[in-house]
Amino acid sequence: MKVLDAEFVQGFIRLCDDGFHQNWHERNGGNLSYRIKDEEIKSIEEELTYTQPWQAIGTSVPNLAGEYFLVTGSGKYFRNVILDPAANICIIQLDETGENFRIVWGLVKGGRPTSELPSHLMNLEVKKLATNGRYRVVYHAHPTNIIALTFILPLEDKVFTRELWEMATECPVVFPDGVGVVGWMVPGGREIAVATSELMKKYDVAIWAHHGMFCSGEDFDLTFGLMHTVEKSAEILVKVLSISPNKRQTISPRNFRELAKDFKVTLPEEFLYEK
Ligand code: 2HA
Ligand code: ZN
């Protein structure tokens, strides 16, 4: 099969286009990665080539050794992915140490995988281990409202989680583990990758102050849906705070406990504190 005919590639392209139309990907902002299944890589092997050199990832992900990933290209624009996927995304293979990668398909007009490759791979490794291999997608975007909140709220997991949960009843059901926050850091390197992957051990969402958000999930629908839900909640909070510094009423800790019971989710008590 041709790479572009594969369902996982079509799902990847669709997410890029949907994300662009949400206004989360100005210029070359954001990046996406997918850990490819064995049967999926077999189905497209006719188009893979093994002639490009190994290059350093910039970090070590031994638990992903030998695996294949579909990733966006560094400096490439999400809005162009649907028009010319082969020039804007690529498939990489990792070597047996989990320290090097090579491009086996794509980026036909030149380029490198995403500048956030260390964060993507470290997050994918953490999630692979934590979910018994279920989680395959890591998505980074620049959604306006969540970024705006990082100038206003204390950069604490428990504050962001609680405020976002309060903005829509579905939120604690969609992200019952909460969200993590990293203070401002230089993007693109190993240091921010380590900080983010630490949060990903506990959460499916990590917010980068004054920059954007990382989400992880089993598939494209769940991961895009998670980004969408968190950002929608942030938009409501921005509106509420813009109207008035105080809420007249909200969802209470008791309400959250009732919701948890009926929806059969566990909501950690650390987020149900009295204010
Ligand atoms: O330009 O979003 O974090 C891609 C990015 C870097
Ligand atoms: Zn970014």
Side-chain angles (χ1 to χ4, degrees), residues 49-57 67-69 90-96 99-105 113 117:
T49 59
Y50 293 88
T51 52
Q52 296 202 41
W54 292 106
Q55 303 177 57
I57 296 167
E67 291 207 65
Y68 292 80
F69 302 84
C90 64
I91 296 175
I92 58 170
Q93 180 196 25
L94 302 197
D95 72 359
E96 289 309 316
E99 292 184 0
N100 301 286
F101 71 87
R102 62 179 168 186
I103 297 172
V104 298
W105 177 87
L117 190 63

Side-chain angles (χ1 to χ4, degrees), residues 118-153:
S119 280
H120 278 266
L121 292 177
M122 290 188 83
N123 291 339
L124 285 164
E125 183 182 50
V126 160
K127 285 302 184 191
K128 180 187 174 188
L129 296 173
T131 68
N132 216 347
R134 272 190 304 119
Y135 277 37
R136 294 186 173 274
V137 183
V138 168
Y139 179 28
H140 169 58
H142 296 171
T144 310
N145 294 285
I146 207 80
I147 297 170
L149 290 176
T150 65
F151 294 90
I152 301 298
L153 298 182

Side-chain angles (χ1 to χ4, degrees), residues 179-182 196 199-200 203-208 212-215:
V179 305
V181 187
V182 243
T196 310
L199 292 178
M200 282 290 178
Y203 309 112
D204 290 344
V205 181
I207 294 163
W208 282 4
M213 179 161 37
F214 267 84
C215 289

Side-chain angles (χ1 to χ4, degrees), residues 168-181:
T169 298
E170 290 280 297
C171 283
V173 180
V174 176
F175 48 101
D177 297 330
V179 305
V181 187

